[in-house]
């Protein structure tokens, strides 16, 4: 796939789409956004009431996975592809003042918005850093939990992403994520379509391949479930979903003990 995909063009397209998500969340995209989506996916209205509305307006996640994360007071959490900051702010509610949450994103506009919302709302345990999920700017074994929502499918190097997640997690560390996968392997013309990559479709890995990448990186899967309440909204995206069985899943996993 690396030979057929223009990775630089993909990055430009993804940044362009999520720059628009940050600056103009009311525009039309391949995917749904906002509070109605978040509540339908499973987010607690009580949690959403406690975080900035603007972060919720730009929420473009594909599932709910905090029930799989097992967040505890004092946990140090990393949110990959933190975007508007909604998931990072939700995580902060659960880890308390003794914990910390760091959001990582590559889009300057998303980072600027998230940092402004953090500062305006006094959420001092939350930080937002610029970086790439394939090359995490964190020390080995320093985090308790890694979460991500609709982001890893955007990477052309998912094996590297999972290896990096494993590296930064403490022994027995947890990962909980929602992402887009497919029932059958996508045609090359779909994989090469940067617009469909940015829409979270072109990079959808066949679900068994996706979970195999996690296990190869050193994780033990605990839960895999389909998110039937998520669907794309553009006609083009829906067509690809019907053809290849593209759908949202949420999963939980734990860093495997190498001595077991």
């Amino acid at each position: 796939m690396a030979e057929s995909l223009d990775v630089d063009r993909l990055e430009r397209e993804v940044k362009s789409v999520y720059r628009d998500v940050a600056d103009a969340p009311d525009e039309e995209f391949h995917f749904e956004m906002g509070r109605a989506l978040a509540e339908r996916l499973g987010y607690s209205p009580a949690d959403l009431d406690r975080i900035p509305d603007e972060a919720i307006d730009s929420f473009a996640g594909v599932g709910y996975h905090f029930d799989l994360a097992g967040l505890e007071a004092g946990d140090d959490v990393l949110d990959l592809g933190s975007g508007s900051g909604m998931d990072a702010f939700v995580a902060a509610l659960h880890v308390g003042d003794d914990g910390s949450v760091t959001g990582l994103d590559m889009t300057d506009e998303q980072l600027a918005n998230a940092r402004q919302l953090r500062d305006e709302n006094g959420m001092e345990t939350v930080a937002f850093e610029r970086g790439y999920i394939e090359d995490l700017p964190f020390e080995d074994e320093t985090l308790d939990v890694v979460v991500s929502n609709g982001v890893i499918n955007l990477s052309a190097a998912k094996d590297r992403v999972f290896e990096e997640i494993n590296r930064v997690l403490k022994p027995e560390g947890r990962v909980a994520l929602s992402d887009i996968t497919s029932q059958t392997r996508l045609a090359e013309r779909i994989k090469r379509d940067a617009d469909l990559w940015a829409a979270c479709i072109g990079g959808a890995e066949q679900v068994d391949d996706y979970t195999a990448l996690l296990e190869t990186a050193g994780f033990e899967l605990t839960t895999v479930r389909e998110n039937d309440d998520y669907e794309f909204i553009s006609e083009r995206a829906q067509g690809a979903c019907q053809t290849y069985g593209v759908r949202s899943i949420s999963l939980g996993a734990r860093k495997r003990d190498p001595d077991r």
Side-chain angles (χ1 to χ4, degrees), residues 183-194:
Q183 288 184 305
T184 60
R185 292 181 177 88
L186 301 184
E188 286 301 316
R189 63 181 177 80
I190 300 293
K191 291 181 179 181
R192 290 193 298 268
D193 189 316

Side-chain angles (χ1 to χ4, degrees), residues 50 52 89 92 97 114-126:
R50 297 173 62 194
F89 296 138
D97 292 341
R115 287 166 176 163
Q116 180 177 343
L117 292 173
R118 173 202 60 198
D119 295 344
E120 290 175 350
N121 290 272
M123 304 190 78
E124 298 177 355
T125 61
V126 182

Side-chain angles (χ1 to χ4, degrees), residues 76-116:
D76 294 315
V77 181
L78 172 63
D79 178 18
L80 298 183
S82 50
S84 67
M86 194 189 93
D87 275 354
F89 296 138
V90 169
L93 301 178
H94 294 272
V95 302
D97 292 341
D98 293 330
S100 70
V101 182
T102 301
L104 185 78
D105 206 279
M106 68 176 184
T107 307
D108 292 334
E109 290 79 5
Q110 292 275 34
L111 288 167
N113 285 354
R115 287 166 176 163
Q116 180 177 343

